[in-house]
Amino acid sequence: MKRLERATEGEKEMGLRPPWEGVENGLGAEEAHRARILRVMGLVMAGTAGLILVVELFLSLHPRFPPVPRIDLILDGLAIAVGGLTVWLVRSRRTQAAAWAVIILLLIASTLILVLEERPNADVAGTLGLLMTLAFAFALLERRTAWVVLGAATAVLLATQLLWRSGYLPEPVPRSQLSYASFVSVTWAVTAGVVAAILHSTMTALRGQAETLRDQVDQLRQKEHALRESRRQLTTLMSNLPGMAYRCKNNPDWTMEFVSEGCHSLTGYCPEELTGNAEVSYGDLIVPEDRQYVWDAIQEALADRRSFELTYRIVASDGQEKWVREQGQGLVDGDGGVVALEGFITDITERKRMEDALRESEERLRVAASNLDGILYVLDTDLRFRLSRGRGLDLLDLGQDQILGMSLHDFLVTDDPDHPMIARHRRVLAGETLRFETERDGIVFSTIVSPIKDAQGKIVGAVGVSLDITERKRMEEALWESEHRFRLVTETIKDVFWISTCGVGEMVYVSPAYETLWGRPIDSLYESPQSFLDVIHPDDLEGYLDVIDAYHERGRPYDHEYRIVREDGDVRWIRERGYPVPGSSGEVQLMTGVCTDVTERKEMGAQLRQQERLAAVGQLAGGVAHDFNNILASITLYAQMSLSRPGLAPETRSALEIILEESHRAADLTDQILDFSRRTMMDKEVLSLVDLVENALGILRRTIPEDIDLVANLGSDPCFVQADSTRIHQVLMNLALNARDAMPGGGRLEIQVGGVELGRGEVPHLPELGPGRWACLRVSDTGTGMTAEIQDHLFEPFFTTKEEGKGTGLGLAQVYGIVKQHGGHVDVETAPGEGSTFIVYLPVVEHQRVQEADETTGPIVAGRGETILVVEDAEQILRAIEAGLEDLGYHVLTAGNGREALENRPFEDVDLVLTDVVMPEVGGLALLKKLRAEAPDLKVVAMTGYVMDARVNELKDAGFAELISKPFCLEELTGVVRDVLDC
C-alpha cells in the first residue's frame, strides 16, 4: 500500500490521476492509460508553445532582430490553449475524442494559415516539429499509429517543399527568416526528442508501477472476498449451532461484545438486545443463587490460565428457568491482563430433567431390587454404575450400592476397550438386547441386558439382571460331558456300537460306523433290525445264529468272528462282542455290543505267518549257502592253481576250465540264495530308478519275444534311491522274465516307475509301508495270473509252477530278499486269468550323491616275500589259500581257528592276517580284538561266506582293513592282499 500511495503522489505531482481513478470514472485500464498520455502530451504542447512564445516575444522586442509576425504569436498562443484544453478534456471517454479532434484541427488550421500567409519555410518546419512531438507521444501508445502520423508529417513537408520549388508557392523568405525558421525547427525537434525520451522512460516506469498496483489491487480484492466469505460461513455456522457463541467483558454484568444468533433460542433476546447491555445484561439473566458461583468459577479459571466449564441456571425472557452449560476461556494481552472472554453456552435443561427422572427411577429400582435373588444394575452411557441391588451381591462379597459411580472397566479390573463385557454393554447402548453368561470368582451368572430410552427414544443407559446359575451350569456340564463321552466313543471309533431290545426285536441305537462297515444305511437297520443278517457270509451264518441262541439261553456275554459280504462284493471279517444289560428288576431288558472290523488284522496275521515262514526258510538257505560257499572257494582256488601250472594236457585243461565255470555257476546260484536270505554284501549308491530301468530296457527288448508288447511308462520323477545297481537290475530282470514266462502266447508287458507319498495317519496299501516318500516299480503282465494258494508260497525259495527243468524257483525269492535288504517291500496284485502286477517299493532319498565303483578285477599279483597268517577252520580252503599264496611268492603261516593262531604264533614278523569271520572257539572278530592288543599296527583282512550290509559296517568299524566274500577267485584274493599290504 505504501508503494501504491507513493506512486499516486508522484502521478499527482506530474498532473496525472491515479490509474484506478480512471477506472472508477467509467474508463477501462487501457483508456485510463491513454488519458494519462493525452494529459502529458497536452502539458508538453502547452509548455513548448509557451517557451517558443517567450523566445518570439524576446526577438520581437530586441532591436537587432526583426519583429516576429503576429501570426506566429497567434499560433503559439493557440498551441498553449489547445494543450490546456487537452489536459481538461481527457477526463472521460467522450472528451478524449474531443481532445483528439482539437489537436487535429489545430494542425490543419496551422497548415492553412501558414500557406495563406506564404510562410512555408519557417513555420512549415515548426509544424513538422509539432507533428514529430505528436508522433513520439503516439509512439508511447501505439507503434502503428506513430508511424502513420510520422509518415503523414513527412509527406506534408515534402509536398510543401516540392510546391515551393516548383513555383506554385510564393518566393522564399529572406535568409534572416530562414535562420529564425531553422532556430524554431531545431527548438521544436530538440524539445520533441527530449520530451519523447522523458515520456518514454517515465511511462515505462509508470506502466510497471501500474501493473504492480493492479496486481496488488486484485490481491486485495481477492483477500477481501475471502474474508467476506469466511465471515459469511462463520455467521452461518454460528446461526445453526444449538447454543450461543459469545465474546464478553470480564465484569459482573458479563457485558456482551458479540453474540451469535443462537442467543435468541437460548435466552429469548436478540443479539442486539444483549450486545453492550442494550436491553439487558447477561449477568441479570443468571439466577441470583448461581451468580456468585459463576463469578468465582470463572475468576478462578482465569487466575489459573485455563479454560472453564460450568453448569448453572438462567431465566429466559419468557420467565422460563433453563439449565445451561458454559465452556470458554479468557483472552489476555501482552501484559497478562484479561481483554475479553470467549466461549459457548448450550441449553441442557432437557438433559437435567432426564437425569432427575433417571435418579427417581433408580431410587424406585433400588427399593424393588433390594430383595431380588440376583443382581439388578443400571449403567449410564459412560458405563458407570447408577444402581446395583440384589442379594446376588452377597455372593461377590459386595454391599448394596457399593459399586455406585464405579466404571465397568474398574469393576472388571481392565483397561482393554475390547474386553468382551465392555463390548457387549456398548452394543446394548447401541440398541441391542443381549443375553450372555459370565463367570466371576467361580460363580456363573446368566445375564440379560437391555437399553434404557427416554421419551424421545434416545438411549440414556442400560439395565441388566444377573442370576446365579452356578449349580445348574454344573449339572448341565456334567450331563454334556457324559453325552459327549458317549458320542465321542460311539461316533468317532471305527467300531459299530449298538443297543437293542432283548432278542433284537427293536434297534435302540446304532453308531454311524455301521454305514461305513456294512455299506448299508442306518435307517434300514432301524426299520428292520434283522436286516444285518442278510450280509453275513452264508458259510458263517449258521454258526453266528448258534452263538446268539446260546446267548439268549444263558444270558452271558459272547465273542464271535464271522464274515460279511458288502453290496460292493467286498468281504470283511467282523468280530462281534455282545453284553446283556439288566434292568432295575434284574432281568435282561436290553443288549449292547460292539462290532469290529478285523479284516486287516486277519490279513496281517497271514502276512506275518508267511514272513515268519520265509524267514525260517531264509535262515536255512543262508546256512546252506555259507557251507556251499566254503566248498566252492576251495574248488575255485584249486582249479585256478591247477590251470596256472605249465605243461597241462589239453584234456586236463579243458576239464579244469569246466570245473571252474561250473563253480562260478554254483556261486551265482548261491548268491541268489543269499539274496533271498538277505545276507549278500551290497555295494549301495544313490541312483535314479528311472535311469536304471532305461538302461535295462535295451537288454529286455532283446530278451523279450516279439509277440510280447513291451511298454515303459517312466514318468518325470527320477526317483532317487540308495541301492546296489546290480541287485536292483537283477530284480527288474527277474520280474520281467517271470512275466515273459507267464505269457507263452504273447501279451503285454508294462513297466512303470513313479513316486508314492504317504502322510502320517494315512492308511497304506501295505501295512508295513511307513509314512514318507517311496519309489514305486510296477511290472505288469497280461498272463495267466495266480491263485491265492500260489500267492501264499510265491516268494519261497525253490517254489515254482514251471515244468521240471525249466526253473530253479529262486527268481522271486531273490527279488524278495534283495528288496527287503534295501529296506523296501514287495506286493503283488493278481487273479487267475487277469494277469499279475508286481509292485516294488523302495525308500526315496532326497539328494543325489554320485559314487563310482570300480568293478573290474585286476590280474593276479605276485608277492614280495611278505609273511601272511591265514586263519580258517575249513581245512580245504586253508590249504588252497596256502598253496595259492606260496605259489605267488608269499610266506604263509596257517591256523585252524583263532585260539590256535593266538597260542602258537608270534606276530612280530607277520605282515598280514587273513582270517575267516565265523569259526569255532575264537571267531574272527574276537581274534581281531586280541591282535589289536598285542600288535596294534597289524593289518587284518576278513573272509566270510555271507555278510549283510549292517554286518559289513560293523566289521569295518571294528578294525578290519578289508573284507572279501566267499567264494573268491585267486585274482580277487591277491588283489585285496596286495592293496592292503601296499596301503
Side-chain angles (χ1 to χ4, degrees), residues 668 671 675 680-685 687 692 696 722-734 814-815 818 822 853-855:
D668 292 339
D671 286 342
D675 284 337
T680 306
M681 186 166 57
M682 298 286 181
D683 184 14
K684 294 182 180 179
E685 61 180 343
L687 52 87
L692 189 146
Q722 184 83 25
D724 187 326
S725 59
T726 303
R727 298 300 181 187
I728 299 301
H729 184 274
Q730 187 67 50
V731 167
L732 177 61
M733 295 300 294
N734 287 2
Q814 186 181 21
V815 168
I818 292 174
H822 282 80
D854 186 8
E855 300 182 354

PDB file of all heavy atoms in Angstrom, residues 668 671 675 680-685 687 692 696 722-734 814-815 818 822 853-855:
ATOM      1  N   ASP A 668      26.880-118.265  -8.497  1.00  0.00           N
ATOM      2  CA  ASP A 668      25.727-117.419  -8.825  1.00  0.00           C
ATOM      3  C   ASP A 668      24.467-117.943  -8.161  1.00  0.00           C
ATOM      4  O   ASP A 668      23.637-117.171  -7.644  1.00  0.00           O
ATOM      5  CB  ASP A 668      25.528-117.363 -10.339  1.00  0.00           C
ATOM      6  CG  ASP A 668      26.663-116.621 -11.030  1.00  0.00           C
ATOM      7  OD1 ASP A 668      27.358-115.831 -10.338  1.00  0.00           O
ATOM      8  OD2 ASP A 668      26.860-116.825 -12.239  1.00  0.00           O
ATOM      9  N   ASP A 671      24.574-116.998  -4.669  1.00  0.00           N
ATOM     10  CA  ASP A 671      24.235-115.580  -4.488  1.00  0.00           C
ATOM     11  C   ASP A 671      22.726-115.368  -4.465  1.00  0.00           C
ATOM     12  O   ASP A 671      22.203-114.551  -3.697  1.00  0.00           O
ATOM     13  CB  ASP A 671      24.851-114.753  -5.614  1.00  0.00           C
ATOM     14  CG  ASP A 671      26.354-114.595  -5.435  1.00  0.00           C
ATOM     15  OD1 ASP A 671      26.840-114.810  -4.310  1.00  0.00           O
ATOM     16  OD2 ASP A 671      27.027-114.256  -6.421  1.00  0.00           O
ATOM     17  N   ASP A 675      20.723-113.745  -1.574  1.00  0.00           N
ATOM     18  CA  ASP A 675      19.828-112.604  -1.773  1.00  0.00           C
ATOM     19  C   ASP A 675      18.504-112.838  -1.068  1.00  0.00           C
ATOM     20  O   ASP A 675      17.943-111.940  -0.439  1.00  0.00           O
ATOM     21  CB  ASP A 675      19.573-112.371  -3.267  1.00  0.00           C
ATOM     22  CG  ASP A 675      20.768-111.723  -3.938  1.00  0.00           C
ATOM     23  OD1 ASP A 675      21.560-111.079  -3.223  1.00  0.00           O
ATOM     24  OD2 ASP A 675      20.909-111.854  -5.161  1.00  0.00           O
ATOM     25  N   THR A 680      23.569-111.006   1.478  1.00  0.00           N
ATOM     26  CA  THR A 680      24.541-110.624   0.459  1.00  0.00           C
ATOM     27  C   THR A 680      25.134-109.266   0.803  1.00  0.00           C
ATOM     28  O   THR A 680      24.424-108.369   1.241  1.00  0.00           O
ATOM     29  CB  THR A 680      23.866-110.578  -0.921  1.00  0.00           C
ATOM     30  OG1 THR A 680      23.224-111.824  -1.158  1.00  0.00           O
ATOM     31  CG2 THR A 680      24.882-110.287  -2.002  1.00  0.00           C
ATOM     32  N   MET A 681      26.427-109.124   0.584  1.00  0.00           N
ATOM     33  CA  MET A 681      27.073-107.837   0.812  1.00  0.00           C
ATOM     34  C   MET A 681      26.749-106.916  -0.368  1.00  0.00           C
ATOM     35  O   MET A 681      26.979-107.276  -1.525  1.00  0.00           O
ATOM     36  CB  MET A 681      28.578-108.022   0.965  1.00  0.00           C
ATOM     37  CG  MET A 681      29.307-106.747   1.359  1.00  0.00           C
ATOM     38  SD  MET A 681      30.976-107.067   1.928  1.00  0.00           S
ATOM     39  CE  MET A 681      31.658-107.916   0.511  1.00  0.00           C
ATOM     40  N   MET A 682      26.165-105.769  -0.063  1.00  0.00           N
ATOM     41  CA  MET A 682      25.721-104.833  -1.089  1.00  0.00           C
ATOM     42  C   MET A 682      26.726-103.705  -1.270  1.00  0.00           C
ATOM     43  O   MET A 682      27.380-103.288  -0.322  1.00  0.00           O
ATOM     44  CB  MET A 682      24.365-104.224  -0.699  1.00  0.00           C
ATOM     45  CG  MET A 682      23.239-105.243  -0.577  1.00  0.00           C
ATOM     46  SD  MET A 682      22.712-105.804  -2.204  1.00  0.00           S
ATOM     47  CE  MET A 682      21.395-106.930  -1.727  1.00  0.00           C
ATOM     48  N   ASP A 683      26.786-103.188  -2.504  1.00  0.00           N
ATOM     49  CA  ASP A 683      27.580-102.003  -2.819  1.00  0.00           C
ATOM     50  C   ASP A 683      26.585-100.900  -3.212  1.00  0.00           C
ATOM     51  O   ASP A 683      26.301-100.676  -4.380  1.00  0.00           O
ATOM     52  CB  ASP A 683      28.548-102.307  -3.966  1.00  0.00           C
ATOM     53  CG  ASP A 683      29.459-101.112  -4.239  1.00  0.00           C
ATOM     54  OD1 ASP A 683      29.508-100.200  -3.394  1.00  0.00           O
ATOM     55  OD2 ASP A 683      30.096-101.106  -5.301  1.00  0.00           O
ATOM     56  N   LYS A 684      26.033-100.238  -2.224  1.00  0.00           N
ATOM     57  CA  LYS A 684      24.940 -99.290  -2.462  1.00  0.00           C
ATOM     58  C   LYS A 684      25.477 -97.920  -2.855  1.00  0.00           C
ATOM     59  O   LYS A 684      26.532 -97.498  -2.404  1.00  0.00           O
ATOM     60  CB  LYS A 684      24.059 -99.150  -1.209  1.00  0.00           C
ATOM     61  CG  LYS A 684      23.299-100.418  -0.861  1.00  0.00           C
ATOM     62  CD  LYS A 684      22.423-100.191   0.365  1.00  0.00           C
ATOM     63  CE  LYS A 684      21.661-101.455   0.732  1.00  0.00           C
ATOM     64  NZ  LYS A 684      20.819-101.261   1.937  1.00  0.00           N
ATOM     65  N   GLU A 685      24.705 -97.241  -3.666  1.00  0.00           N
ATOM     66  CA  GLU A 685      24.972 -95.869  -4.069  1.00  0.00           C
ATOM     67  C   GLU A 685      23.643 -95.204  -4.394  1.00  0.00           C
ATOM     68  O   GLU A 685      22.625 -95.864  -4.582  1.00  0.00           O
ATOM     69  CB  GLU A 685      25.884 -95.844  -5.293  1.00  0.00           C
ATOM     70  CG  GLU A 685      25.286 -96.539  -6.502  1.00  0.00           C
ATOM     71  CD  GLU A 685      26.202 -96.513  -7.694  1.00  0.00           C
ATOM     72  OE1 GLU A 685      27.131 -95.693  -7.668  1.00  0.00           O
ATOM     73  OE2 GLU A 685      25.999 -97.294  -8.630  1.00  0.00           O
ATOM     74  N   LEU A 687      21.177 -93.680  -6.813  1.00  0.00           N
ATOM     75  CA  LEU A 687      20.961 -93.786  -8.253  1.00  0.00           C
ATOM     76  C   LEU A 687      19.501 -93.496  -8.563  1.00  0.00           C
ATOM     77  O   LEU A 687      18.626 -93.536  -7.693  1.00  0.00           O
ATOM     78  CB  LEU A 687      21.368 -95.174  -8.770  1.00  0.00           C
ATOM     79  CG  LEU A 687      20.767 -96.406  -8.060  1.00  0.00           C
ATOM     80  CD1 LEU A 687      19.426 -96.775  -8.652  1.00  0.00           C
ATOM     81  CD2 LEU A 687      21.734 -97.581  -8.178  1.00  0.00           C
ATOM     82  N   LEU A 692      18.030 -96.425 -14.226  1.00  0.00           N
ATOM     83  CA  LEU A 692      18.354 -97.853 -14.173  1.00  0.00           C
ATOM     84  C   LEU A 692      17.414 -98.643 -15.082  1.00  0.00           C
ATOM     85  O   LEU A 692      17.844 -99.525 -15.833  1.00  0.00           O
ATOM     86  CB  LEU A 692      18.265 -98.346 -12.727  1.00  0.00           C
ATOM     87  CG  LEU A 692      18.770 -99.766 -12.457  1.00  0.00           C
ATOM     88  CD1 LEU A 692      19.411 -99.850 -11.078  1.00  0.00           C
ATOM     89  CD2 LEU A 692      17.631-100.782 -12.534  1.00  0.00           C
ATOM     90  N   ALA A 696      18.141-100.820 -18.579  1.00  0.00           N
ATOM     91  CA  ALA A 696      17.802-102.247 -18.672  1.00  0.00           C
ATOM     92  C   ALA A 696      16.850-102.540 -19.820  1.00  0.00           C
ATOM     93  O   ALA A 696      16.709-103.713 -20.232  1.00  0.00           O
ATOM     94  CB  ALA A 696      17.188-102.730 -17.351  1.00  0.00           C
ATOM     95  N   GLN A 722      18.761 -95.279  -2.580  1.00  0.00           N
ATOM     96  CA  GLN A 722      20.077 -95.775  -2.133  1.00  0.00           C
ATOM     97  C   GLN A 722      20.072 -97.278  -2.380  1.00  0.00           C
ATOM     98  O   GLN A 722      19.423 -98.025  -1.644  1.00  0.00           O
ATOM     99  CB  GLN A 722      20.268 -95.465  -0.641  1.00  0.00           C
ATOM    100  CG  GLN A 722      21.626 -95.854  -0.090  1.00  0.00           C
ATOM    101  CD  GLN A 722      22.689 -94.801  -0.359  1.00  0.00           C
ATOM    102  OE1 GLN A 722      22.362 -93.639  -0.522  1.00  0.00           O
ATOM    103  NE2 GLN A 722      23.929 -95.197  -0.423  1.00  0.00           N
ATOM    104  N   ALA A 723      20.792 -97.715  -3.405  1.00  0.00           N
ATOM    105  CA  ALA A 723      20.653 -99.120  -3.801  1.00  0.00           C
ATOM    106  C   ALA A 723      21.913 -99.604  -4.497  1.00  0.00           C
ATOM    107  O   ALA A 723      22.751 -98.826  -4.951  1.00  0.00           O
ATOM    108  CB  ALA A 723      19.444 -99.288  -4.729  1.00  0.00           C
ATOM    109  N   ASP A 724      22.000-100.934  -4.559  1.00  0.00           N
ATOM    110  CA  ASP A 724      23.025-101.620  -5.340  1.00  0.00           C
ATOM    111  C   ASP A 724      22.466-101.776  -6.736  1.00  0.00           C
ATOM    112  O   ASP A 724      21.474-102.493  -6.948  1.00  0.00           O
ATOM    113  CB  ASP A 724      23.342-102.977  -4.710  1.00  0.00           C
ATOM    114  CG  ASP A 724      24.518-103.664  -5.390  1.00  0.00           C
ATOM    115  OD1 ASP A 724      24.671-103.502  -6.613  1.00  0.00           O
ATOM    116  OD2 ASP A 724      25.279-104.364  -4.696  1.00  0.00           O
ATOM    117  N   SER A 725      23.060-101.085  -7.706  1.00  0.00           N
ATOM    118  CA  SER A 725      22.502-101.074  -9.052  1.00  0.00           C
ATOM    119  C   SER A 725      22.428-102.484  -9.640  1.00  0.00           C
ATOM    120  O   SER A 725      21.466-102.822 -10.329  1.00  0.00           O
ATOM    121  CB  SER A 725      23.325-100.154  -9.957  1.00  0.00           C
ATOM    122  OG  SER A 725      24.679-100.593 -10.011  1.00  0.00           O
ATOM    123  N   THR A 726      23.432-103.310  -9.344  1.00  0.00           N
ATOM    124  CA  THR A 726      23.441-104.678  -9.896  1.00  0.00           C
ATOM    125  C   THR A 726      22.272-105.476  -9.353  1.00  0.00           C
ATOM    126  O   THR A 726      21.583-106.206 -10.091  1.00  0.00           O
ATOM    127  CB  THR A 726      24.762-105.378  -9.553  1.00  0.00           C
ATOM    128  OG1 THR A 726      25.845-104.593 -10.071  1.00  0.00           O
ATOM    129  CG2 THR A 726      24.804-106.769 -10.152  1.00  0.00           C
ATOM    130  N   ARG A 727      22.001-105.325  -8.039  1.00  0.00           N
ATOM    131  CA  ARG A 727      20.921-106.092  -7.425  1.00  0.00           C
ATOM    132  C   ARG A 727      19.561-105.619  -7.910  1.00  0.00           C
ATOM    133  O   ARG A 727      18.674-106.430  -8.180  1.00  0.00           O
ATOM    134  CB  ARG A 727      20.995-105.968  -5.903  1.00  0.00           C
ATOM    135  CG  ARG A 727      22.274-106.515  -5.306  1.00  0.00           C
ATOM    136  CD  ARG A 727      22.446-107.971  -5.617  1.00  0.00           C
ATOM    137  NE  ARG A 727      23.667-108.524  -5.020  1.00  0.00           N
ATOM    138  CZ  ARG A 727      24.135-109.741  -5.228  1.00  0.00           C
ATOM    139  NH1 ARG A 727      23.500-110.538  -6.070  1.00  0.00           N
ATOM    140  NH2 ARG A 727      25.230-110.167  -4.644  1.00  0.00           N
ATOM    141  N   ILE A 728      19.365-104.289  -8.013  1.00  0.00           N
ATOM    142  CA  ILE A 728      18.074-103.786  -8.481  1.00  0.00           C
ATOM    143  C   ILE A 728      17.868-104.159  -9.944  1.00  0.00           C
ATOM    144  O   ILE A 728      16.753-104.475 -10.377  1.00  0.00           O
ATOM    145  CB  ILE A 728      17.992-102.266  -8.282  1.00  0.00           C
ATOM    146  CG1 ILE A 728      18.124-101.920  -6.793  1.00  0.00           C
ATOM    147  CG2 ILE A 728      16.681-101.719  -8.811  1.00  0.00           C
ATOM    148  CD1 ILE A 728      17.075-102.558  -5.919  1.00  0.00           C
ATOM    149  N   HIS A 729      18.965-104.145 -10.722  1.00  0.00           N
ATOM    150  CA  HIS A 729      18.878-104.606 -12.105  1.00  0.00           C
ATOM    151  C   HIS A 729      18.446-106.071 -12.150  1.00  0.00           C
ATOM    152  O   HIS A 729      17.616-106.466 -12.987  1.00  0.00           O
ATOM    153  CB  HIS A 729      20.238-104.416 -12.784  1.00  0.00           C
ATOM    154  CG  HIS A 729      20.228-104.769 -14.240  1.00  0.00           C
ATOM    155  ND1 HIS A 729      20.430-106.040 -14.704  1.00  0.00           N
ATOM    156  CD2 HIS A 729      20.037-103.983 -15.343  1.00  0.00           C
ATOM    157  CE1 HIS A 729      20.377-106.054 -16.013  1.00  0.00           C
ATOM    158  NE2 HIS A 729      20.139-104.802 -16.437  1.00  0.00           N
ATOM    159  N   GLN A 730      18.941-106.851 -11.204  1.00  0.00           N
ATOM    160  CA  GLN A 730      18.554-108.263 -11.134  1.00  0.00           C
ATOM    161  C   GLN A 730      17.071-108.397 -10.780  1.00  0.00           C
ATOM    162  O   GLN A 730      16.369-109.275 -11.306  1.00  0.00           O
ATOM    163  CB  GLN A 730      19.413-108.984 -10.085  1.00  0.00           C
ATOM    164  CG  GLN A 730      19.203-110.488 -10.042  1.00  0.00           C
ATOM    165  CD  GLN A 730      19.696-111.174 -11.320  1.00  0.00           C
ATOM    166  OE1 GLN A 730      20.822-110.937 -11.760  1.00  0.00           O
ATOM    167  NE2 GLN A 730      18.842-111.970 -11.940  1.00  0.00           N
ATOM    168  N   VAL A 731      16.588-107.524  -9.874  1.00  0.00           N
ATOM    169  CA  VAL A 731      15.163-107.558  -9.517  1.00  0.00           C
ATOM    170  C   VAL A 731      14.306-107.322 -10.749  1.00  0.00           C
ATOM    171  O   VAL A 731      13.334-108.047 -11.019  1.00  0.00           O
ATOM    172  CB  VAL A 731      14.866-106.501  -8.437  1.00  0.00           C
ATOM    173  CG1 VAL A 731      13.359-106.296  -8.279  1.00  0.00           C
ATOM    174  CG2 VAL A 731      15.477-106.897  -7.116  1.00  0.00           C
ATOM    175  N   LEU A 732      14.645-106.274 -11.536  1.00  0.00           N
ATOM    176  CA  LEU A 732      13.869-105.955 -12.723  1.00  0.00           C
ATOM    177  C   LEU A 732      13.916-107.099 -13.728  1.00  0.00           C
ATOM    178  O   LEU A 732      12.882-107.475 -14.315  1.00  0.00           O
ATOM    179  CB  LEU A 732      14.396-104.660 -13.344  1.00  0.00           C
ATOM    180  CG  LEU A 732      13.726-104.217 -14.645  1.00  0.00           C
ATOM    181  CD1 LEU A 732      12.243-103.969 -14.435  1.00  0.00           C
ATOM    182  CD2 LEU A 732      14.391-102.937 -15.181  1.00  0.00           C
ATOM    183  N   MET A 733      15.099-107.653 -13.951  1.00  0.00           N
ATOM    184  CA  MET A 733      15.218-108.747 -14.920  1.00  0.00           C
ATOM    185  C   MET A 733      14.408-109.949 -14.472  1.00  0.00           C
ATOM    186  O   MET A 733      13.706-110.588 -15.278  1.00  0.00           O
ATOM    187  CB  MET A 733      16.690-109.119 -15.091  1.00  0.00           C
ATOM    188  CG  MET A 733      17.548-108.017 -15.703  1.00  0.00           C
ATOM    189  SD  MET A 733      17.007-107.514 -17.353  1.00  0.00           S
ATOM    190  CE  MET A 733      17.338-109.029 -18.264  1.00  0.00           C
ATOM    191  N   ASN A 734      14.480-110.320 -13.168  1.00  0.00           N
ATOM    192  CA  ASN A 734      13.732-111.483 -12.681  1.00  0.00           C
ATOM    193  C   ASN A 734      12.234-111.282 -12.854  1.00  0.00           C
ATOM    194  O   ASN A 734      11.502-112.197 -13.272  1.00  0.00           O
ATOM    195  CB  ASN A 734      14.055-111.741 -11.213  1.00  0.00           C
ATOM    196  CG  ASN A 734      15.443-112.332 -11.021  1.00  0.00           C
ATOM    197  OD1 ASN A 734      16.192-112.523 -11.991  1.00  0.00           O
ATOM    198  ND2 ASN A 734      15.815-112.620  -9.790  1.00  0.00           N
ATOM    199  N   GLN A 814      14.721-114.391  -4.815  1.00  0.00           N
ATOM    200  CA  GLN A 814      15.827-113.440  -4.882  1.00  0.00           C
ATOM    201  C   GLN A 814      15.297-112.006  -4.902  1.00  0.00           C
ATOM    202  O   GLN A 814      15.855-111.118  -4.236  1.00  0.00           O
ATOM    203  CB  GLN A 814      16.666-113.702  -6.131  1.00  0.00           C
ATOM    204  CG  GLN A 814      17.930-112.855  -6.199  1.00  0.00           C
ATOM    205  CD  GLN A 814      18.746-113.120  -7.457  1.00  0.00           C
ATOM    206  OE1 GLN A 814      18.216-113.618  -8.453  1.00  0.00           O
ATOM    207  NE2 GLN A 814      20.022-112.799  -7.418  1.00  0.00           N
ATOM    208  N   VAL A 815      14.224-111.750  -5.662  1.00  0.00           N
ATOM    209  CA  VAL A 815      13.605-110.421  -5.680  1.00  0.00           C
ATOM    210  C   VAL A 815      13.190-110.020  -4.269  1.00  0.00           C
ATOM    211  O   VAL A 815      13.476-108.904  -3.813  1.00  0.00           O
ATOM    212  CB  VAL A 815      12.380-110.411  -6.623  1.00  0.00           C
ATOM    213  CG1 VAL A 815      11.560-109.128  -6.430  1.00  0.00           C
ATOM    214  CG2 VAL A 815      12.819-110.536  -8.063  1.00  0.00           C
ATOM    215  N   ILE A 818      16.351-109.238  -2.094  1.00  0.00           N
ATOM    216  CA  ILE A 818      17.057-108.002  -2.467  1.00  0.00           C
ATOM    217  C   ILE A 818      16.259-106.775  -2.027  1.00  0.00           C
ATOM    218  O   ILE A 818      16.805-105.815  -1.465  1.00  0.00           O
ATOM    219  CB  ILE A 818      17.310-107.977  -3.984  1.00  0.00           C
ATOM    220  CG1 ILE A 818      18.330-109.069  -4.365  1.00  0.00           C
ATOM    221  CG2 ILE A 818      17.806-106.604  -4.433  1.00  0.00           C
ATOM    222  CD1 ILE A 818      18.529-109.213  -5.858  1.00  0.00           C
ATOM    223  N   HIS A 822      17.166-103.842   0.877  1.00  0.00           N
ATOM    224  CA  HIS A 822      17.200-102.411   0.571  1.00  0.00           C
ATOM    225  C   HIS A 822      16.182-101.627   1.391  1.00  0.00           C
ATOM    226  O   HIS A 822      15.971-100.431   1.135  1.00  0.00           O
ATOM    227  CB  HIS A 822      16.930-102.170  -0.924  1.00  0.00           C
ATOM    228  CG  HIS A 822      18.116-102.453  -1.794  1.00  0.00           C
ATOM    229  ND1 HIS A 822      18.462-103.730  -2.182  1.00  0.00           N
ATOM    230  CD2 HIS A 822      19.049-101.623  -2.346  1.00  0.00           C
ATOM    231  CE1 HIS A 822      19.537-103.680  -2.954  1.00  0.00           C
ATOM    232  NE2 HIS A 822      19.920-102.416  -3.067  1.00  0.00           N
ATOM    233  N   ALA A 853      31.920 -96.948  -8.522  1.00  0.00           N
ATOM    234  CA  ALA A 853      32.538 -98.172  -8.003  1.00  0.00           C
ATOM    235  C   ALA A 853      33.377 -98.822  -9.095  1.00  0.00           C
ATOM    236  O   ALA A 853      32.967 -98.905 -10.255  1.00  0.00           O
ATOM    237  CB  ALA A 853      31.458 -99.143  -7.525  1.00  0.00           C
ATOM    238  N   ASP A 854      34.498 -99.259  -8.702  1.00  0.00           N
ATOM    239  CA  ASP A 854      35.391 -99.941  -9.637  1.00  0.00           C
ATOM    240  C   ASP A 854      35.147-101.428  -9.530  1.00  0.00           C
ATOM    241  O   ASP A 854      35.466-102.051  -8.534  1.00  0.00           O
ATOM    242  CB  ASP A 854      36.857 -99.615  -9.299  1.00  0.00           C
ATOM    243  CG  ASP A 854      37.807-100.190 -10.339  1.00  0.00           C
ATOM    244  OD1 ASP A 854      37.289-100.690 -11.358  1.00  0.00           O
ATOM    245  OD2 ASP A 854      39.021-100.140 -10.103  1.00  0.00           O
ATOM    246  N   GLU A 855      34.441-101.987 -10.537  1.00  0.00           N
ATOM    247  CA  GLU A 855      34.073-103.397 -10.503  1.00  0.00           C
ATOM    248  C   GLU A 855      35.042-104.279 -11.291  1.00  0.00           C
ATOM    249  O   GLU A 855      34.830-105.468 -11.431  1.00  0.00           O
ATOM    250  CB  GLU A 855      32.655-103.569 -11.056  1.00  0.00           C
ATOM    251  CG  GLU A 855      31.602-102.799 -10.243  1.00  0.00           C
ATOM    252  CD  GLU A 855      30.204-103.021 -10.783  1.00  0.00           C
ATOM    253  OE1 GLU A 855      30.100-103.674 -11.831  1.00  0.00           O
ATOM    254  OE2 GLU A 855      29.227-102.547 -10.176  1.00  0.00           O
TER     255      GLU A 855
END
